[in-house]
Every structure is written in structure tokens, then in C-alpha cells.
Amino acid sequence: MAQPKKTLSPPGTDLIRRELRELERILREQSRSEVRLLMEVADHILESGGKRFRPAVLLLSAKLCGYSGPRAVAYAAAVEYAHTSTLLHDDVVDEALTRRGRPSANGIWGNQASVLVGDYLLFRAFYLLIENEDPRIMKLVNSVATQMAEGEAFQLTRKRNVKLSEAEYFRIITDKTAKLISISCRIGAILGRATAKREHALGEYGFHLGLAFQLKDDALDYAGDERAWGKKVGQDFSEGKMTLPLIWAFRNSSAADRKKLARLLAKPKRKAGDFKTALAFILRHGGLDYALAKARSHAGRAKAQLQVFPDSPPKQALLDLADFVVARSV
Amino acid sequence: MAQPKKTLSPPGTDLIRRELRELERILREQSRSEVRLLMEVADHILESGGKRFRPAVLLLSAKLCGYSGPRAVAYAAAVEYAHTSTLLHDDVVDEALTRRGRPSANGIWGNQASVLVGDYLLFRAFYLLIENEDPRIMKLVNSVATQMAEGEAFQLTRKRNVKLSEAEYFRIITDKTAKLISISCRIGAILGRATAKREHALGEYGFHLGLAFQLKDDALDYAGDERAWGKKVGQDFSEGKMTLPLIWAFRNSSAADRKKLARLLAKPKRKAGDFKTALAFILRHGGLDYALAKARSHAGRAKAQLQVFPDSPPKQALLDLADFVVARSV
């Protein structure tokens, strides 16, 4: 498996370079299987441009709380496996043929392989969790994994529903993104035996960071620079997913405009021209500005949580990370 | 959720009637979700004629080893959830539109729901495992779950491969069936604090019982009485799965016959007439007799393992269960 192609650019990466290298080794080693199909698909998805975002926040959180031992990397690998497993299963759910600008696993090997390799990686995540024998961390991860499945199922039932509310949208991105990033931070705090207050603050940091991350991601899906971003814009739109830019624009348009848009969204197959129409509609109503303002606001709330910690390089890295998440074009 | 429609008929059921009732309650309670889609699909699959075979062997094994407490039912529910999760994911993998004679979950709700509900039930299984805090049992279940995914992936790569060997077939049914039944028995032994020798014997009992169970299942897929069995014959054949009756017949036929059969199996869509041709071919070469003799042999080996236990009602129930598995027409 090659190194991931896109790595985090903020200064934080320097502090955990050794751990990120060790992480790649563990990810590669633990996904080895005698069944070639499993290894091929696992390698494909693990090396397809993942930013190792969740491992990075876990490792920096552990460092912030004074822990630099080997268990942090093991838990970082578990969290990355769990995340990768959901990507594979989501691609089946979304019927996505590309992921991060490359053909998705189910685009190449079919739904079957995506399901089985997703399961396989999930069991590798649990293997690392069980081996490291912390019942609290196991419960946290399993509970969040359950909520992720529930969030994804909820999103599925709301697909192509133009009436998805902002509150429902936030429920979806909370379940599918913010919670896993939040517990990644909390695992770091638990490893560092942080006080309950600090663990809570890190959990809230991760929660708001996760929301900012997903809000920005969903905005990039409309306004990303395809060359820098490395993936095609308009994927959410073509899958019929309502995200905040569209929700906002829809809510703030005239009844006639709403009707026109609803018709566009009801089409089973959407074309490039449809996307351009929707994007123009969003821009006219300030949907992107609104979503990006929300992203900045959550990044700010994330940073505010770190006040309970004295200044240190890992704290600065986490602060920078929150800025990076909303400033990034990738 | 209604009671499962088909229950085990052997006398063993009387010994664990209370526990099986409690099991239904736990299965119903633990799969409750705020997301309606999840509950609907979970209910559909949990009540669609499951025999609760794995829970029954776990509960009887625990009783044989002197344990009748509440943890046996919790573990029985965990094992049933894990099994049910694999059924849902397998239906996506097999592209099966029916299961146990009823429309399969993915036939009704689509692949997406099958994947998500499979994940959801898996996390409920882990929830019960984590709550009951036995690291050895967690490791056993997770390790077998990993092997089940590997077995299923291996089977996927061998689909429509007429050259599948008997050894490869046994590898597949070991991974996908025998191992989970084997650890169901071992969990019972662990709960009863059985000696290592007895735990091993129960594990071997379950292993051979599982092989006998799957061999018989695969034979029924060719020779089952559809009305009694409640499902259509020929499903494995139409999905391109090579099972022992066909493997044996293929190995023992003339080169000309083999060629004819290979052509039949290579067809992307198989018709009812094709199934009749294959069945006649199997009968002519004694493929069913051979597979059923193997099933009986493994049932016998299962029973022999129980010699280390003194006579008791649960022991008798497990002995009867081994006979039942090969004698059943359902």
C-alpha cells in the first residue's frame, strides 16, 4: 500500500509524523488476508487519498493530554478502519461509482465486494478495540457506529426529499460525521487520563470540528475546484442528497422558484445542466455563503472549547486544524 | 415482532422454552430504533422463519455445563444478531430476491437497507458482547465474524467456477456456518466454567454439527419438499453456487458430461429447465447420496464428542439435535 496521496497540510502533522508512519504500517499489516479479493479492495480504499483526518485528531488530542504511547496509534487505526468501512458501505447505499475522484470500490468490484470488505475492515477495527481492552472506549465506538448506521438510514429515507429541514440536515451530519470525530478526540483524552472536564471539552471540540468539516465538504461539492480538490463537484446533487446550500436556497426562494427546483430534484437522472441550474439558484439565494458561515461558526466554537487547556504545540495544532478545515480547498 | 414461524422440533426445545421466550423479548427490545426503516427491516428479517438454531445450541450447551443464568440469553441474542446481519449482507452479495421462501429484505427495500440494517444488527450484537464484558468471548466472536467475511469473499471469487474442489467447498462452509455454531457451543461452555477438555469437546461438537447442518441445507436446495421446507429449491444453483452434490457429480462424470454441465453453469441466467437437467445429472452420479452420507458422518462425529459428558437431559437434547439436523425436511 502506498502512502496516502493527500496528507494534512497544517503544522500539526509535524508533531505526529512518527505516529502517522506507524499508523500506515498497522493499517497495512492488519488488513492482510489470505483472500486476495479482500486485500485488493482494502488496499484500494485505504490508499485512495484518505486524509487520515480522524487518526490525526485522535493523536493530537492524546498528545495534548500527555499521552504518546503505542495505544494511540492502535486506536487511530481502529477509528480509520471503522471510517473506511462506512465509506465502503455508503458507496453501496449511495450507488456511487466514484469516490475521491477515483472509481469507487463498488464501481470496480461491485456491491458484493464493498459489503464484504466493509465488514472485514469493521472486524479489524473491533479486533484492535478488543485487544486494547478498554471497555469505555469500546462502548463509545460501538455506540457511535450504531448511530452512524441510524443516521445513514435516516438520510436514505429522506433522499430526494426537497423538504428536508436544516434541523434534519444537522441531525444527519451529526450522526454520520461529527460523532466519530468527537469520540476520536475523547479517546485521546481517555488515553491521557484527562479530567472529566477536559475530556468533555475535547469531545465538544471534535463535535464542532466535525460539523465544520462536513459543512465545508458539502459546500465544496458545489463550489470545489475540481483540480485541487481531486474529485468531481455535484456528486451529492446527482445522488439526490439535500445539503445545506440547497436547503437554505430552497427555503428562501419564491413559491414559483421552489416549484421549479422541486421538479428538477424529482428527476430520477440528473444531468450536468441540471447541476448548473441548481448551483445558480443556490448562488442567487446565498446558500453557499450561509453554509460556509455556519462552517466558520462551528470551527470557532470548536476552538473556544480548547480554552481549558494551557498553551502547547498540540493545542496550537488543533486550533490550526479548525481553521484549516474551513479554509481548505481539498 | 411475531414469534418465529418455524421452531426446532426436537425435545431439546422443552428444556429452554423460558430462555427462548426471553430471547425473543431481547431481540425485539434491542433492535428498537427511532429510525423506522431500520426497525421495519430488522423485524422483517428477525421474524422471517428463523429457527433460532444458534441460540438453541448455545443455551443447551450452557445448560449441559451447569449454567442457566441470564448471560446465556444475552449471548444467544448477540449470536443471533450476528448471524442475521450476515444473512442481510449475504443477500446483497448473492443478489438474492428471496430468503426462506419470502421476499428478501433487499428484494423489498433494496441493497441499501440490507447493508445498513445488517450493520445496525451487528452493532447491537457487539453492544451485548461489550456489556457482558468477557474479553475471551468477544475475541472468539470477532475472530469468527472476520473469518465469515473472508469465507464469503472467497466464495464470491469462486462463483460459477465448476472446478471448485471438495476441499474448497468444505473451507467455505466451515467459515460461513460451522465456526459460528462451534463458538455458540463454546460460549455455553465458558459460561458454565467447563474444563478446557469439555469446552474443546463442545466446540468440536458444534463444528461437526455446523458442517452437517450446512451439508443438509445444501442437499435440501436440490431435493427439499418445497411445501414442508417453505422455500424454493434451486436457489444456490440459480445463484451459481457450487455445492457438494454438484461437485461430486461433476468429478464423477465423463469428460463429455462435464463439458455439457460446464456450459450449463456458465450461462449468466439459469432457467427452471436447467435446474432439472442439473438435478438429473446429480442423481445419476449419486451426488445427493454422497452429500447426505457426509452430513450423517459429521452428525455422528458431533455426537461422539459428547462422550466426555455424563448423561443428562441437555446432553440428550444435543444428541437428538445432531440427528434432527440430518433428518429434517425443513
Side-chain angles (χ1 to χ4, degrees), chain A residues 219-234:
Chain A
L220 283 169
D221 197 66
Y222 281 102
D225 173 346
E226 293 192 348
R227 269 170 310 173
W229 198 31
K231 48 182 183 179
K232 283 188 89 64
V233 298

Side-chain angles (χ1 to χ4, degrees), chain B residues 22 57-58 92 153 169 189-190 204-205 273 280 284 309 329:
Chain B
E22 176 66 4
V57 296
L58 189 155
V92 177
Y169 167 76
I190 292 169
E204 289 292 299
Y205 163 84
R284 199 161 62 241
F309 291 93
S329 57

Side-chain angles (χ1 to χ4, degrees), chain A residues 33 35 38 89 93 95 111-112 115-116 119-120 122-123 126-127 130 139 142 145-146 150 152-153 156, chain B residues 33 35 38 89 93 95 111-112 115-116 119-120 122-123 126-127 130 138-139 142 145-146 150 152-153 156:
Chain A
S33 166
V35 182
L38 284 182
H89 286 184
V93 171
E95 296 164 329
N111 281 335
Q112 292 97 331
V115 171
L116 293 176
D119 289 348
Y120 179 70
L122 194 65
F123 297 136
F126 275 109
Y127 172 81
I130 295 168
K139 281 180 200 177
N142 190 60
T146 312
E150 291 189 282
E152 196 69 34
L156 183 62
Chain B
S33 166
V35 182
L38 284 183
H89 286 183
V93 172
E95 295 165 329
N111 281 335
Q112 292 97 332
V115 171
L116 293 175
D119 289 348
Y120 179 69
L122 194 65
F123 297 136
F126 274 109
Y127 172 81
I130 295 168
M138 275 187 245
K139 281 180 199 176
N142 190 61
T146 312
E150 291 190 282
E152 197 68 33
L156 183 63

Side-chain angles (χ1 to χ4, degrees), chain A residues 64 197-198 200-209 212 295-311 315-316 318-323:
Chain A
L64 176 62
K197 190 179 158 191
R198 287 185 169 187
H200 177 78
L202 264 174
E204 289 291 301
Y205 163 83
F207 177 77
H208 290 291
L209 183 75
R296 274 190 301 275
S297 155
H298 282 288
R301 288 168 75 179
K303 287 162 73 178
Q305 294 292 334
L306 300 183
Q307 284 168 359
V308 297
F309 292 93
D311 288 345
K315 176 177 170 178
Q316 192 55 48
L318 289 170
L319 290 170
D320 293 347
L321 198 57
D323 290 331

Side-chain angles (χ1 to χ4, degrees), chain B residues 149-162:
Chain B
E150 291 190 282
E152 197 68 33
F154 179 71
Q155 185 172 31
L156 183 63
T157 60
R158 290 294 186 279
K159 231 175 177 176
R160 303 188 187 284
N161 183 342
V162 288

Side-chain angles (χ1 to χ4, degrees), chain B:
Chain B
M1 192 192 313
Q3 292 286 317
K5 262 142 219 125
K6 266 176 271 161
T7 40
L8 281 174
S9 15
T13 316
D14 292 337
L15 299 177
I16 50 173
R17 210 168 283 286
R18 181 181 58 79
E19 287 89 343
L20 288 174
R21 242 194 330 264
E22 176 66 4
L23 173 76
E24 295 305 316
R25 195 189 63 73
I26 293 183
L27 290 176
R28 196 165 51 235
E29 181 187 284
Q30 290 291 330
S31 63
R32 244 176 232 153
S33 166
E34 281 179 27
V35 182
R36 243 185 83 183
L37 175 70
L38 284 183
M39 281 203 58
E40 270 179 30
V41 185
D43 280 2
H44 171 85
I45 180 105
L46 284 166
E47 66 178 77
S48 62
K51 290 183 283 288
R52 311 293 188 235
F53 185 71
R54 291 150 193 83
V57 296
L58 189 155
L59 293 164
L60 288 170
S61 298
K63 256 201 176 133
L64 176 63
C65 298
Y67 182 85
S68 294
R71 296 175 68 214
V73 185
Y75 281 121
V79 166
E80 187 70 4
Y81 275 145
H83 166 63
T84 309
S85 165
T86 66
L87 293 185
L88 281 161
H89 286 183
D90 289 357
D91 282 344
V92 177
V93 172
D94 299 337
E95 295 165 329
L97 297 177
T98 61
R99 144 116 16 227
R100 295 170 183 154
R102 296 176 55 184
S104 66
N106 65 326
I108 304 175
W109 289 278
N111 281 335
Q112 292 97 332
S114 294
V115 171
L116 293 175
V117 181
D119 289 348
Y120 179 69
L121 293 181
L122 194 65
F123 297 136
R124 300 316 296 168
F126 274 109
Y127 172 81
L128 291 166
L129 291 171
I130 295 168
E131 285 296 309
N132 281 282
E133 292 188 334
D134 187 318
R136 247 190 86 208
I137 295 181
M138 275 187 245
K139 281 180 199 176
L140 273 177
V141 175
N142 190 61
S143 149
V144 164
T146 312
Q147 292 163 53
M148 286 173 86
E150 291 190 282
E152 197 68 33
F154 179 71
Q155 185 172 31
L156 183 63
T157 60
R158 290 294 186 279
K159 231 175 177 176
R160 303 188 187 284
N161 183 342
V162 288
K163 286 183 187 142
L164 189 81
S165 69
E166 184 169 334
E168 287 174 319
Y169 167 76
F170 271 96
R171 175 177 162 190
I172 289 168
I173 67 171
T174 293
D175 280 347
K176 84 171 197 183
T177 307
K179 282 182 179 168
L180 186 59
I181 295 176
S182 173
I183 60 155
S184 299
C185 295
R186 279 181 71 184
I187 292 171
I190 292 169
L191 291 174
R193 299 176 188 276
T195 61
K197 190 180 158 192
R198 288 186 168 185
E199 182 188 324
H200 176 78
L202 264 173
E204 289 292 299
Y205 163 84
F207 177 77
H208 290 292
L209 183 76
L211 290 179
F213 181 88
Q214 191 61 52
L215 281 158
K216 175 73 182 191
D217 232 46
D218 292 347
L220 282 168
D221 197 67
Y222 281 103
D225 173 347
E226 292 191 349
R227 271 169 310 171
W229 198 30
K231 49 181 183 179
K232 284 189 90 63
V233 298
Q235 185 139 343
D236 291 340
F237 178 78
S238 75
E239 288 169 11
K241 277 185 194 163
M242 290 287 286
T243 58
L244 193 54
L246 197 54
I247 291 168
W248 172 264
F250 193 77
R251 200 171 65 194
N252 291 284
S253 58
S254 67
D257 262 11
R258 267 208 286 276
K259 216 167 168 181
K260 224 171 96 187
L261 195 77
R263 218 171 314 136
L264 192 71
L265 293 169
K267 286 168 74 171
K269 279 231 167 198
R270 298 168 183 197
K271 296 192 187 117
D274 297 337
F275 175 68
K276 277 188 191 148
T277 308
L279 180 56
F281 174 79
I282 286 170
L283 291 172
R284 199 161 62 241
H285 293 288
L288 269 176
D289 289 341
Y290 179 74
L292 289 171
K294 281 275 175 192
R296 276 190 300 274
S297 155
H298 282 288
R301 288 169 74 179
K303 287 162 73 178
Q305 294 292 334
L306 299 183
Q307 284 169 357
V308 297
F309 291 93
D311 288 346
S312 71
K315 175 177 169 179
Q316 192 56 48
L318 289 170
L319 291 169
D320 292 347
L321 198 58
D323 289 331
F324 169 77
V325 153
V326 287
R328 74 198 161 106
S329 57
V330 294

Side-chain angles (χ1 to χ4, degrees), chain A residues 40-329:
Chain A
E40 270 178 31
V41 184
D43 281 1
H44 172 85
I45 180 105
L46 283 165
E47 66 178 79
S48 63
K51 290 183 283 287
R52 310 292 188 239
F53 184 70
R54 292 149 193 82
V57 296
L58 189 154
L59 293 164
L60 287 171
S61 298
K63 247 185 192 148
L64 176 62
C65 298
Y67 182 84
S68 295
R71 296 175 69 212
V73 184
Y75 281 120
V79 165
E80 186 70 3
Y81 275 146
H83 165 63
T84 309
S85 166
T86 67
L87 294 185
L88 281 161
H89 286 184
D90 288 358
D91 282 344
V92 177
V93 171
D94 300 336
E95 296 164 329
L97 297 178
T98 62
R99 144 113 19 225
R100 293 168 183 155
R102 298 175 54 183
S104 67
N106 66 327
I108 304 176
W109 289 279
N111 281 335
Q112 292 97 331
S114 294
V115 171
L116 293 176
V117 180
D119 289 348
Y120 179 70
L121 292 182
L122 194 65
F123 297 136
R124 299 317 295 169
F126 275 109
Y127 172 81
L128 291 166
L129 291 171
I130 295 168
E131 285 296 310
N132 282 282
E133 292 187 334
D134 187 317
R136 247 189 87 209
I137 295 180
M138 274 188 246
K139 281 180 200 177
L140 274 177
V141 175
N142 190 60
S143 151
V144 164
T146 312
Q147 291 163 53
M148 286 174 85
E150 291 189 282
E152 196 69 34
F154 179 73
Q155 185 172 31
L156 183 62
T157 61
R158 289 294 185 279
K159 230 175 177 176
R160 303 190 187 285
N161 183 342
V162 289
K163 285 181 187 144
L164 189 82
S165 70
E166 183 168 335
E168 287 175 319
Y169 167 77
F170 271 96
R171 175 177 162 189
I172 289 169
I173 68 170
T174 293
D175 280 346
K176 82 171 198 182
T177 307
K179 282 182 179 169
L180 186 59
I181 295 176
S182 173
I183 60 156
S184 298
C185 295
R186 279 182 70 185
I187 292 171
I190 292 170
L191 291 174
R193 298 174 187 277
T195 61
K197 190 179 158 191
R198 287 185 169 187
E199 183 189 323
H200 177 78
L202 264 174
E204 289 291 301
Y205 163 83
F207 177 77
H208 290 291
L209 183 75
L211 290 179
F213 181 86
Q214 191 62 53
L215 281 158
K216 175 73 182 191
D217 231 45
D218 292 347
L220 283 169
D221 197 66
Y222 281 102
D225 173 346
E226 293 192 348
R227 269 170 310 173
W229 198 31
K231 48 182 183 179
K232 283 188 89 64
V233 298
Q235 185 139 341
D236 291 340
F237 179 77
S238 74
E239 287 169 12
K241 276 185 194 161
M242 291 288 287
T243 58
L244 194 53
L246 197 53
I247 293 169
W248 173 263
F250 193 77
R251 200 171 65 194
N252 292 284
S253 58
S254 67
D257 262 12
R258 266 208 287 276
K259 217 167 166 179
K260 224 171 93 186
L261 194 76
R263 218 171 314 136
L264 192 71
L265 293 169
K267 287 168 74 171
K269 278 232 165 196
R270 298 170 183 194
K271 297 194 185 118
D274 297 336
F275 175 69
K276 276 188 192 147
T277 308
L279 180 57
F281 175 80
I282 286 171
L283 290 173
R284 200 160 64 241
H285 294 287
L288 268 176
D289 289 341
Y290 180 74
L292 288 172
K294 281 274 174 193
R296 274 190 301 275
S297 155
H298 282 288
R301 288 168 75 179
K303 287 162 73 178
Q305 294 292 334
L306 300 183
Q307 284 168 359
V308 297
F309 292 93
D311 288 345
S312 71
K315 176 177 170 178
Q316 192 55 48
L318 289 170
L319 290 170
D320 293 347
L321 198 57
D323 290 331
F324 169 77
V325 153
V326 287
R328 74 199 162 105
S329 57

